[in-house]
Amino acid sequence: MFDYQITENSLANKVILVTGAGDGIGKQAAITYASLGATVILLGRTVEKLEATYDEIVKAGSPEPAIVPLDMKGATKQNYVDMTSTIVNQFGKLDGALLNASILGELTPFTAIHEQTYDDVMQVNVKGQLLLAQALVPALVEAENGSIIFTTSTVGSRGRAYWGPYSMSKFATEGMMQLIANEYDNTNLRSNAINPGATRTAMRATAYPAENEMELPTAEEIMPLYVYLMSDDSKGVTGKVMKAQ
């Protein structure tokens, strides 16, 4: 795993948005960030899952989070602008954002890629991320040490047979991260991407149904890199694709 020593106050007093916070890596990141002193905004499409994450955070005695139910498949640019404005007005700032939400689509031969599947994956994994990032960046630039973290994959740096739209979307994600990093290189904002690697999540199980998931690390085990890139210890680190394991 990524070698970083987490301290109990690594994210004290930070305000952090986490997308896909109802399940998997996003849920664990939100819980971890909150346990380290951050006020976390939980974004996701399923209210019940977000409420479960909320309850775990509150039960642990961490700062009370906020819930933003939003489906990135149908959300508009104005939805993201309004959401960011509400966050800043309510909490006074936004220090970081983990853009974790994405969908897998279908694993098929290239010539069998369905147009609707392609559109859905690109809408959530690319266009939705673009519109969200456009809304968030002005607020993050104003933070003392702003950090935006994208989520990529091994198939986002080297194409893999049958991974079609998902693979293409992650190539685009890495490009978006690099663009922001380059444009804001001389500001307080840093932009990076995490490749979580094979992790025990529902998406992984869908992609590899025959795999023994008990042999994979849990989302909790890969958190050191997620904390590092959100903490002030990574100040000056930007434009990087980093592996959590």
Side-chain angles (χ1 to χ4, degrees):
M1 298 304 158
F2 182 80
D3 186 18
Y4 173 67
Q5 187 63 45
I6 297 174
T7 63
E8 63 180 20
N9 294 314
S10 292
L11 303 174
N13 302 315
K14 288 188 178 293
V15 177
I16 302 170
L17 173 73
V18 177
T19 74
D23 200 7
I25 293 172
K27 178 178 182 177
Q28 184 59 56
I31 292 170
T32 300
Y33 289 165
S35 73
L36 300 175
T39 297
V40 183
I41 294 96
L42 311 172
L43 187 151
R45 63 181 178 178
T46 307
V47 174
E48 291 81 4
K49 289 184 177 182
L50 296 177
E51 289 176 340
T53 305
Y54 176 99
D55 290 344
E56 284 196 41
I57 290 172
V58 171
K59 184 178 180 180
S62 301
E64 183 178 4
I67 290 178
V68 179
L70 194 65
D71 187 347
M72 296 184 71
K73 186 182 287 188
T76 66
K77 181 171 184 173
Q78 193 61 48
N79 291 146
Y80 296 122
V81 170
D82 292 343
M83 179 199 70
T84 304
S85 178
T86 299
I87 291 172
V88 174
N89 288 337
Q90 182 173 346
F91 298 101
K93 62 174 182 173
L94 180 64
D95 297 292
L98 171 61
L99 306 192
N100 175 75
S102 62
I103 59 175
L104 180 63
E106 298 175 344
L107 302 185
T108 62
F110 180 79
T111 56
I113 294 172
H114 193 281
E115 185 176 357
Q116 188 59 56
T117 300
Y118 176 87
D119 288 344
D120 289 345
V121 171
M122 290 298 166
Q123 175 65 36
V124 174
N125 297 8
V126 182
K127 186 177 180 180
Q129 309 278 358
L130 166 68
L131 297 179
L132 176 56
Q134 284 182 321
L136 295 175
V137 163
L140 292 170
V141 169
E142 295 299 318
E144 185 176 349
N145 289 303
S147 175
I148 185 167
I149 303 172
F150 291 87
T151 303
T152 186
S153 166
T154 303
V155 301
S157 56
R158 183 176 179 82
R160 182 180 299 168
Y162 311 118
W163 281 75
Y166 184 79
S167 179
M168 288 183 268
S169 76
K170 292 306 180 180
F171 271 89
T173 295
E174 292 192 13
M176 197 183 321
M177 175 276 289
Q178 292 175 13
L179 285 171
I180 295 172
N182 195 247
E183 286 190 25
Y184 292 87
D185 190 39
N186 295 316
T187 72
N188 293 331
L189 174 63
R190 58 195 186 278
S191 171
N192 296 284
I194 292 177
N195 175 1
T199 310
R200 201 183 306 170
T201 64
M203 181 183 286
R204 177 76 185 188
T206 300
Y208 296 93
E211 188 175 55
N212 182 2
E213 65 173 14
M214 300 310 294
E215 296 179 352
L216 302 177
T218 63
E220 184 175 8
E221 291 177 282
I222 65 171
M223 281 298 111
L225 179 57
Y226 287 80
V227 174
Y228 170 72
L229 286 179
M230 200 60 77
S231 76
D232 291 347
D233 287 338
S234 62
K235 182 179 180 179
V237 177
T238 192
K240 306 294 185 184
V241 174
M242 302 181 71
K243 294 181 178 180
Q245 52 177 308

